[in-house]
Amino acid sequence: MKSKKVLQIVRALDFAAWAHSSQRRKGGEGEPYINHLTEVSRLVAQATGGKDATLIIAALLHDVLEDQGKHVNYEMLVGNFGKRVAKIVREVTDDMSLPKAERKRLQIEHAPHLSRRAKILKIADKAANLNSIIESPPKDWSVQRKREYFAWAAEVVAGCRGVNPWIESVFDERLGEGNF
Ligand code: ZN
């Protein structure tokens, strides 16, 4: 890999760790949020044979426009990581001004229209989330709520299929493990 790409990946990792420094995952173990980002970036890296630095960087940054306290905006991402990365992150970012149910509905609706990279990232993100629910579920989640999350994630991923058989098989495997 070219040295410039290595530098960009490490900068993205550092940026993500800073942006999410005060956040923990919802799971019972309360893992640091960065664990989610390294898992998703590892998945997209494996899915693309380590050849797509842009996607790895976008995966590390995929939640910075959403749920964190450091007020990162789109322009900041363009300035630091370029338009290609910023656009992928924007594609997978929910409009947080909308109610949660509406955001979830829109993810299903938008999925088929995402770019190829954003689809791979979306599938990796959902696979990581299923894994978290299996390994370290939020303490207040009922079986019903877990089932609903799995069913919703499957619907979002259905709209992303056809881009990368490997990541789809990882997702399907985890989906199959969720027999609550
Ligand atoms: Zn995520």
Side-chain angles (χ1 to χ4, degrees):
M1 191 175 274
K2 294 220 175 70
S3 51
K4 197 180 160 203
K5 287 180 179 173
V6 175
L7 282 170
Q8 286 281 80
I9 290 170
V10 176
R11 281 184 52 238
L13 181 56
D14 190 44
F15 188 93
W18 164 78
H20 296 280
S21 57
S22 62
Q23 265 183 292
R24 301 231 153 218
R25 293 285 280 167
K26 281 188 292 219
E29 289 173 30
E31 301 93 336
Y33 203 86
I34 192 75
N35 287 41
H36 169 65
L37 305 166
T38 54
E39 181 180 3
V40 175
S41 62
R42 191 258 301 163
L43 287 170
V44 302
Q46 281 184 276
T48 55
K51 291 194 183 85
D52 193 341
T54 301
L55 184 53
I56 295 169
I57 294 165
L60 286 168
L61 300 169
H62 81 269
D63 279 332
V64 293
L65 296 178
E66 255 172 37
D67 34 18
Q68 42 75 39
K70 292 288 202 294
H71 305 298
V72 178
N73 59 34
Y74 179 75
E75 286 67 34
M76 260 172 100
L77 285 185
V78 173
N80 281 284
F81 301 101
K83 233 182 185 158
R84 278 208 294 184
V85 166
K87 274 186 172 169
I88 300 165
V89 174
R90 191 167 60 179
E91 274 190 273
V92 299
T93 298
D94 285 353
D95 179 350
M96 297 306 278
S97 68
L98 299 171
K100 194 171 182 185
E102 178 68 358
R103 296 201 308 263
K104 294 191 100 167
R105 193 186 66 74
L106 284 173
Q107 281 204 32
I108 297 169
E109 198 177 300
H110 290 160
H113 310 292
L114 296 175
S115 66
R116 185 187 59 85
R117 280 181 170 130
K119 282 179 178 169
I120 296 171
L121 176 48
K122 197 50 119 176
I123 300 169
D125 187 31
K126 293 291 180 270
N129 286 342
L130 295 193
N131 200 36
S132 297
I133 292 168
I134 295 163
E135 299 292 331
S136 169
K139 285 201 171 91
D140 58 341
W141 276 35
S142 63
V143 168
Q144 176 65 14
R145 186 155 178 197
K146 290 181 199 171
R147 281 197 195 122
E148 278 168 15
Y149 188 92
F150 271 58
W152 169 72
E155 274 197 81
V156 175
V157 167
C160 298
R161 287 185 190 271
V163 284
N164 187 287
W166 185 83
I167 197 67
E168 290 172 40
S169 74
V170 170
F171 177 83
D172 290 338
E173 207 171 294
R174 290 181 182 177
L175 193 66
E177 285 165 24
N179 36 17
F180 306 110

